[in-house]
Amino acid sequence: MADTPERIITADAVVRQVAFTPDGGSLIGVCQDGQVRFWDPQSGALQRAVPWTKEDLRGVTLSPDLRLLAASGPEKAIKVWDLKSGEMRHRMPALPIAPGELAISPDGKMLASNAEAENTVRLWDLAAAKQLLTLPDGLGDSSLLFSPDSSLLVGANSDTVLRVWHAGSGKHVAVIDDLPVTMFAMVFSPDGRYFGAAGADRTIHVFETGGWKKVAALNGQPEMITALALAPQGRILVAGGFDDVTVKNPTKVLIWDVPARSIMRTIPARQRVESVAISPDAQWVAVADAEKTVQVWSASPKA
Amino acid sequence: MKFSGLTRRQALESCISRGLLLSGAALSQTKLFAAWQAAEAAAQKPTAREVLGPFYKKGAPNVKQLRPAGDPGFPLTVAGKVVNTKGQLVEGVKIDIWHSDHHGRYDLVGFKYRSQLTADEKGLYTVETILPGHYDDRPAQHIHYLISAPGHKTLVTQAYFATDPFFEGDPDKKFAKRNIVHNRELVRPVSLYEGPGAPRAAITFDICMETA
Ligand SMILES: [Fe+2]
């Protein structure tokens, strides 16, 4: 009982990113087969599937408001689709190297991309499909994330450094270079006052964004962390990851009570976790795994 | 002959840019040709780049012996020379190397199989370790390198092993399989020999850095 999900949704393709719609009425899955699937989180029934690309996907990201979807593929151009209609809205000019990681700002105005071999992050004006800034980045692949007010962009590189830029000017706000290893996943609190990063050391490092000082370290994840999600109220944090020897090994998803800094629930995943999401009412947690399923769990342990 | 395709000015520039001539002062064609030939022989192709990978860790100690007594891995010696594209020794070079254990697992808590090496006065480095294992995301055995030196571009690369079953005995044909390895030259021949008490392996991995 404790270790069974409420529902298992079979997605027919690996789900790269999951998200609950703000009204909680749909669970969105961005699938590696180039379809976005919408499921009813209560019944698990497929509501609709929107085909949007046939390309072999590299970077893919949903905008925080879930209206847009950006992806990069072998064509080396970032394309942006309307999530509802599946129509392509914007297409950035082609780049020398296919971008890896992507992020869309919460205000829907900017897109950030990076390419490992270039050691740069590019900042784009989404509507104009024009590059605004080229930011010198560190070594290796990096994850990108905008702050909730869209004023900051954070890049986490595999040189183990976190770089925080002012998105308007491209100037460094902070460079955090005392992390021991690479951070793979990042999250901001809804008010932007706190920032969390987690990765190869299985720890969630929490910073306050006034001075970018570390204020907490949440330990307890058995595997490396690649997916983080924070409930809209910021009280519940979900973390999932992968076993570093084989993605086929089972993993654990941890649900944290953030104010108490304690683990509320540990749920099993069958293998590598691709993405996690929390419903707007913080009742449900969705876990997308590498076995092409999305599992919906209750966030709090059953009595 | 390549030289004949160059103008005198190009040849001079080529020599000057490689630090062989201070200026294009009056030189006979023969002397210029000799200088150009010497420069050409000394000039090196920069080592191919590879991805950094997710498991780099800062602050590794400078340790030449990475193989603890009783390690179940296959003993391996890695050695090489560090030069730049001008054929010069590289001052102050730091060679970060790291690899997995024989099961394919990286140490992210401590610094097992991680070292920041330096090169000696002849530009040589060497490390005693084990053959890395295989893991899902990169199923070819490999050693990661991050090499930095003042006045040079930081080089991120990886060394692979021609004996790796991944290459099916034919690295020439199979090196690009599954888009894992991007350069044939990074797949190094492996010498296998009888060491004290056990068979051992050795590779050379020479490094050529670009000046910044
Ligand atoms: Fe690796």
Side-chain angles (χ1 to χ4, degrees):
Chain A
M1 175 69 203
D3 273 3
T4 52
E6 298 293 323
R7 267 166 295 288
I8 300 177
I9 298 166
T10 306
D12 301 325
V14 172
V15 179
R16 294 277 298 269
Q17 198 177 352
V18 277
F20 285 92
T21 52
D23 63 3
S26 295
L27 181 61
I28 301 176
V30 179
C31 302
Q32 187 65 24
D33 65 356
Q35 299 212 37
V36 181
R37 291 175 173 84
F38 294 73
W39 297 285
D40 179 341
Q42 298 306 316
S43 68
L46 183 71
Q47 294 168 328
R48 59 205 178 95
V50 180
W52 49 294
T53 186
K54 289 267 184 282
E55 277 190 72
D56 183 24
L57 299 176
R58 272 179 65 90
V60 60
T61 192
L62 286 166
S63 64
D65 64 6
L66 306 179
R67 289 193 308 113
L68 301 172
L69 175 66
S72 66
E75 286 181 28
K76 300 178 184 172
I78 304 160
K79 296 174 200 164
V80 182
W81 288 265
D82 182 293
L83 202 59
K84 268 202 176 124
S85 65
E87 273 170 43
M88 200 200 296
R89 278 283 187 81
H90 312 291
R91 185 198 169 101
M92 308 298 131
L95 294 166
I97 297 165
E101 299 285 330
L102 302 171
I104 298 175
S105 62
D107 64 10
K109 289 180 180 160
M110 286 175 289
L111 172 80
S113 69
N114 83 324
E116 161 148 20
E118 291 187 321
N119 300 333
T120 57
V121 169
R122 292 166 196 270
L123 199 61
W124 305 82
D125 179 321
L126 205 52
K130 211 176 79 186
Q131 198 177 317
L132 296 167
L133 291 170
T134 303
L135 309 170
D137 198 16
L139 296 166
D141 216 357
S142 70
S143 324
L144 297 168
L145 182 70
F146 283 95
S147 62
D149 66 359
S150 304
S151 69
L152 303 176
L153 173 66
V154 189
N157 285 74
S158 39
D159 62 5
T160 80
V161 178
L162 290 178
R163 290 170 181 83
V164 187
W165 293 279
H166 184 257
S169 66
K171 290 208 168 70
H172 276 142
V173 173
V175 176
I176 300 162
D177 62 1
D178 59 351
L179 289 162
V181 293
T182 307
M183 299 291 115
F184 302 134
M186 301 187 284
V187 71
F188 271 99
S189 65
D191 61 8
R193 287 177 58 210
Y194 293 95
F195 167 84
D201 66 350
R202 302 162 162 82
T203 301
I204 304 165
H205 302 268
V206 184
F207 300 82
E208 55 81 22
T209 59
W212 289 93
K213 293 278 175 297
K214 193 144 98 174
V215 292
L218 306 179
N219 294 300
Q221 196 91 19
E223 294 91 24
M224 295 191 181
I225 301 168
T226 49
L228 288 175
L230 195 60
Q233 302 81 3
R235 296 179 58 87
I236 294 171
L237 178 64
V238 184
F242 71 109
D243 185 289
D244 52 315
V245 164
T246 168
V247 297
K248 292 171 193 81
N249 279 352
T251 61
K252 295 265 193 289
V253 172
L254 263 51
I255 304 177
W256 289 86
D257 177 328
V258 177
R261 293 182 189 175
S262 63
I263 297 164
M264 278 171 60
R265 186 170 192 191
T266 301
I267 55 182
R270 291 185 296 179
Q271 48 168 268
R272 177 193 169 98
V273 171
E274 296 285 329
S275 178
V276 290
I278 313 179
S279 63
D281 61 6
Q283 293 296 302
W284 307 102
V285 169
V287 177
D289 66 27
E291 281 200 338
K292 306 180 183 178
T293 69
V294 178
Q295 307 195 11
V296 181
W297 296 77
S298 166
S300 39
K302 281 285 174 63
Chain B
M1 191 170 72
K2 267 162 94 189
F3 182 70
S4 62
L6 290 176
T7 64
R8 180 184 160 83
R9 195 175 59 81
Q10 284 170 330
L12 272 172
E13 280 172 1
S14 159
C15 292
I16 291 164
S17 73
R18 288 169 178 157
L20 267 114
L21 294 174
L22 285 176
S23 74
L27 271 181
S28 73
Q29 192 75 15
T30 322
K31 272 189 182 158
L32 176 59
F33 179 43
W36 180 83
Q37 270 194 320
E40 197 66 1
Q44 309 256 337
K45 209 173 132 241
T47 303
R49 290 170 182 271
E50 263 288 1
V51 295
L52 183 62
F55 302 135
Y56 171 65
K57 192 172 178 207
K58 267 198 300 254
N62 182 346
V63 181
K64 285 185 179 165
Q65 176 55 266
L66 291 180
R67 184 177 61 244
D71 190 297
F74 197 102
L76 169 73
T77 306
V78 182
K81 184 173 184 175
V82 187
V83 293
N84 64 22
T85 47
K86 296 171 184 166
Q88 300 160 331
L89 296 184
V90 178
E91 295 248 349
V93 66
K94 287 181 178 156
I95 310 156
D96 257 291
I97 73 155
W98 66 102
H99 63 81
S100 73
D101 68 11
H102 71 294
H103 290 304
R105 195 179 288 265
Y106 286 84
D107 178 15
L108 284 139
V109 178
F111 291 96
K112 210 172 174 192
Y113 314 119
R114 293 175 186 270
S115 183
Q116 188 179 75
L117 303 162
T118 50
D120 68 12
E121 67 283 354
K122 289 179 182 140
L124 303 174
Y125 75 94
T126 178
V127 64
E128 290 295 327
T129 187
I130 57 156
L131 268 172
H134 299 83
Y135 61 96
D136 282 356
D137 274 1
R138 296 189 67 79
Q141 297 166 305
H142 59 277
I143 296 178
H144 292 272
Y145 279 81
L146 191 161
I147 307 139
S148 61
H152 293 77
K153 285 184 193 164
T154 297
L155 173 65
V156 177
T157 189
Q158 297 179 23
Y160 301 91
F161 303 86
T163 49
D164 189 337
F166 180 79
F167 301 116
E168 302 173 45
D170 192 354
D172 284 337
K173 283 212 180 91
K174 302 283 184 177
F175 82 91
K177 185 175 131 186
R178 293 175 57 188
N179 205 21
I180 301 285
V181 181
H182 301 102
N183 285 281
R184 171 62 181 92
E185 70 197 73
L186 298 178
V187 185
R188 306 303 303 154
V190 181
S191 305
L192 295 168
Y193 61 101
E194 189 61 36
R200 284 161 188 272
I203 63 164
T204 59
F205 192 78
D206 292 338
I207 295 155
C208 179
M209 301 184 77
E210 290 175 87
T211 47

